[in-house]
């Protein structure tokens, strides 16, 4: 009886995969060029860091808000991003807090820069949308304190904007409801109750109009 041994060979990496790996090998010198890369390329490079279990380097990258905000745009890979942030958080437990604080401070700086007449939903639409996405991402993984910081910043923005924009009411209702969700999930019931009352009052007033 003849015995045949079959050796399983791992398939060779693509040229793109080899290039991604080469960036990690000289990351300190090449990371500057990643700022101008498309979101999908940046995501693949950060995922390569994650795959190699370079968790300190991973933590440094995902805690950098400009980098993280680009990763967040890859909605189809949201589950993978959750895993990367979780692994990075085991190295640095303040990562989600850092990200949320960076967003909050960035929103405040944006409002300070804009002339009073430009304080409209349209002028800050991208920041509002980022806040909705970021807050939702944090809530999904149970990082409720960080999510609450993000949604509080969103509500604060809406309270400083002019109400003439046609999309103002929709954004206002969504920002309040998202903050209410994160507060309730984090068991901040007194504040959540006050916010729920504000939300109901707003709905009642708008329904009368």
């Amino acid at each position: 009886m003849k015995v045949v041994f079959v050796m399983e060979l791992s398939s060779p990496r693509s040229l793109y995969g080899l290039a991604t790996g080469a960036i990690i090998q000289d990351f300190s010198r090449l990371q500057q060029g990643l700022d101008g890369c498309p979101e999908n390329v940046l995501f693949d490079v950060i995922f390569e860091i994650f795959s190699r279990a370079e968790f300190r380097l991973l933590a440094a990258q995902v805690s950098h808000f400009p980098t993280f905000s680009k990763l967040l745009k890859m909605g189809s890979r949201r589950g993978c991003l959750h895993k990367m942030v979780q692994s990075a958080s085991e190295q640095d437990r303040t990562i989600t807090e850092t990200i949320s604080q960076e967003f909050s401070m960035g929103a405040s700086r944006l409002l300070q820069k804009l002339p009073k007449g430009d304080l409209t939903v349209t002028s800050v639409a991208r920041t509002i949308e980022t806040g909705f996405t970021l807050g939702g991402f944090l809530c999904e993984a149970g990082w409720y304190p960080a999510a609450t910081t993000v949604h509080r910043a969103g509500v604060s923005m809406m309270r400083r904007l002019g109400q003439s924009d046609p999309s103002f009411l929709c954004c206002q209702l969504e920002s309040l409801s998202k903050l209410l969700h994160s507060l309730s999930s984090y068991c901040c019931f007194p504040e959540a109750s006050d916010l729920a009352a504000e939300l109901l009052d707003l709905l009642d007033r708008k329904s009368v109009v």
Side-chain angles (χ1 to χ4, degrees):
M1 179 178 176
K2 183 183 289 185
V3 179
V4 179
F5 294 95
V6 179
M7 296 181 62
E8 292 189 7
L9 299 177
S10 59
S11 57
R13 297 194 69 181
S14 66
L15 181 60
Y16 179 77
L18 292 171
T20 303
I23 292 174
I24 307 305
Q25 292 175 5
D26 197 10
F27 191 78
S28 60
R29 188 171 65 89
L30 298 176
Q31 70 177 108
Q32 297 275 337
L34 290 174
D35 294 339
C37 289
E39 286 84 5
N40 62 316
V41 174
L42 177 62
F43 198 105
D44 288 337
V45 172
I46 303 302
F47 183 73
E48 180 76 16
I49 296 173
F50 169 70
S51 300
R52 293 180 177 218
E54 296 281 353
F55 296 130
R56 286 188 179 180
L57 181 58
L58 178 67
Q61 295 306 305
V62 298
S63 62
H64 182 236
F65 185 74
T67 297
F68 186 81
S69 61
K70 289 184 178 180
L71 299 177
L72 198 59
K73 292 179 181 179
M74 297 294 295
S76 61
R77 304 178 72 178
R78 199 175 177 105
C80 184
L81 183 56
H82 273 131
K83 293 178 182 178
M84 291 196 290
V85 175
Q86 181 61 54
S87 295
S89 295
E90 292 174 6
Q91 284 289 322
D92 181 358
R93 295 182 180 179
T94 67
I95 282 179
T96 55
E97 180 184 350
T98 299
I99 293 170
S100 61
Q101 289 291 343
E102 282 293 322
F103 171 79
S104 180
M105 291 187 293
S108 296
R109 287 194 296 267
L110 175 61
L111 291 177
Q112 290 171 1
K113 288 180 181 178
L114 290 173
K116 191 172 183 179
D118 289 339
L119 292 177
T120 63
V121 172
T122 302
S123 63
V124 296
R126 183 177 298 180
T127 301
I128 292 173
E129 184 61 34
T130 297
F132 289 160
T133 305
L134 174 58
F137 173 86
L138 294 168
C139 268
E140 288 169 8
W143 292 307
Y144 298 121
T148 300
T149 297
V150 172
H151 289 315
R152 275 201 186 106
V155 169
S156 296
M157 287 187 71
M158 294 306 303
R159 286 175 174 161
R160 293 181 59 184
L161 299 180
Q163 301 184 19
S164 58
D165 197 301
S167 60
F168 176 82
L169 177 59
C170 181
C171 289
Q172 184 184 31
L173 291 172
E174 187 167 0
S175 64
L176 288 170
S177 62
K178 287 183 180 296
L179 177 57
L180 178 60
H181 172 68
S182 62
L183 287 170
S184 301
S185 300
Y186 194 44
C187 300
C188 298
F189 297 125
E191 186 178 354
S193 296
D194 292 341
L195 192 67
E198 179 184 348
L199 187 55
L200 288 172
D201 180 62
L202 176 63
L203 288 171
D204 287 341
R205 285 190 284 111
K206 294 301 179 182
S207 64
V208 171
V209 175

